[in-house]
Structures are given as structure tokens and as C-alpha cells.
Amino acid sequence: RSIFLFFQEGGEDGLGEGLDWESAVSGFSLALDAFAVSVCMGACIPGRFGRASLRMGGACGLFQFLMPLGGWVAGEWSAGLMTALDHWLAFGLLAFVGGGMIRNALGPSNRCDGDATASPGALFSLALATSIDAFVVGAGFALVNKPVLTLALLAGVFTALTCVLGIYIGRF
């Protein structure tokens, strides 16, 4: 098997059946958390926001493309280990993200700090936080012997487009 296997096996022409529903639905659903963050970001960006929407779409789209590939590799490499530690890994990731959210909620409140996409660190954090689930889905695809490239491409494209749209929707 190859991580870059694009088509499903079993088509009459040898190329497979192409797009499958699991990848399409998973790719679209992975984009929705980044869309929600983009709507909130759009509400906080003063003035012109075209570049901010492209930065947000590009960063989140790239992460949503790369994380399923990384998850697939990790799932292939550690299938046995993953079953023993998956719940602890999920707990650790959620505790880290949730702890940060609680810390931010209890700290001083500033509703809008301006354009967070202008800060590479903040943009990296947003893109990483919204793509952790894509890593897990990629690992799941590896564990059920499903190719991941279609998912990664769809997740990246859907995320980039919905982030750009989200920034614009947040302005209204």
C-alpha cells in the first residue's frame, strides 16, 4: 500500500471508483471547525480583510492537508501501539487544548485583539488547533486500510475555501 494511493481499488477500468463518500464527508466535516474560527476572526479584523482571509485559508488549508497524511503515517507505523495508547493520546491532546481554553477564559478578557492572522505564532496556533482532528482521522484511515490522499486533498481545499468565506461572513 502507498500513502499516495488516490483511487480506490476495484474499478472496471483499473483506476478505481475515484471519489468516495467517506473521504468527501470527512474532508468537509474537518473544515467546519476552521470555518467557525474564521467567522470569529472576521468579526475581529478591523479595516481591510482580504489578506487576512487568504492567510487564514492558506494556513488552515495547508494544515488540514498535511495532518491526515501525518496521521496516516503514524497509524501505519504504530497500529499495535495505537490501540494500547489511543485513549491516553486523545486525553492528552484534549487536556492541552481544553486547558488552554480554560486559562484564556479565566484570564483578562479582550474580545478582539485585532488581526490575529498577522501574527505567525497566532496563525500557527489556530491552524494547528483546528487540524488535530484531521491527524486522528488520517490515523483512522490507516487502521482500516483506506487510502488517505483523497481525504487530505479534500480537507485542504474545503478548509481553505471555507476559511476565506468565514472571514467574509464574520464581517457582517
Side-chain angles (χ1 to χ4, degrees):
R1 287 187 352 201
S2 169
I3 189 172
F4 297 109
L5 181 63
F6 186 74
F7 294 104
Q8 296 291 318
E9 296 177 8
E12 294 176 12
D13 57 2
L15 293 176
E17 298 173 12
L19 184 64
D20 60 292
W21 283 105
E22 293 93 356
S23 295
V25 171
S26 296
F28 182 72
S29 65
L30 287 172
L32 295 181
D33 54 350
F35 171 72
V37 169
S38 295
V39 171
C40 295
M41 295 298 298
C44 291
I45 296 173
R48 298 175 65 168
F49 53 90
R51 288 185 183 182
S53 66
L54 294 177
R55 283 191 299 265
M56 187 73 173
C60 289
L62 178 66
F63 270 71
Q64 290 284 14
F65 170 73
L66 294 175
M67 291 296 266
L69 299 176
W72 195 92
V73 170
E76 278 289 304
W77 176 74
S78 63
L81 182 63
M82 188 73 78
T83 57
L85 298 176
D86 60 351
H87 54 287
W88 290 110
L89 179 63
F91 171 75
L93 288 172
L94 291 173
F96 177 74
V97 172
M101 292 173 69
I102 292 170
R103 182 178 46 87
N104 289 339
L106 297 176
S109 178
N110 186 355
R111 296 185 71 189
C112 287
D113 290 330
D115 184 5
T117 67
S119 164
L123 188 58
F124 175 82
S125 295
L126 290 171
L128 179 64
T130 58
S131 64
I132 291 172
D133 53 346
F135 184 88
V136 175
V137 172
F141 270 46
L143 295 175
V144 296
N145 296 322
K146 188 157 183 56
V148 72
L149 186 60
T150 304
L151 166 71
L153 289 171
L154 290 173
V157 169
F158 286 154
T159 301
L161 294 175
T162 58
C163 283
V164 169
L165 179 65
I167 295 278
Y168 282 97
I169 289 173
R171 297 292 293 164
F172 302 105

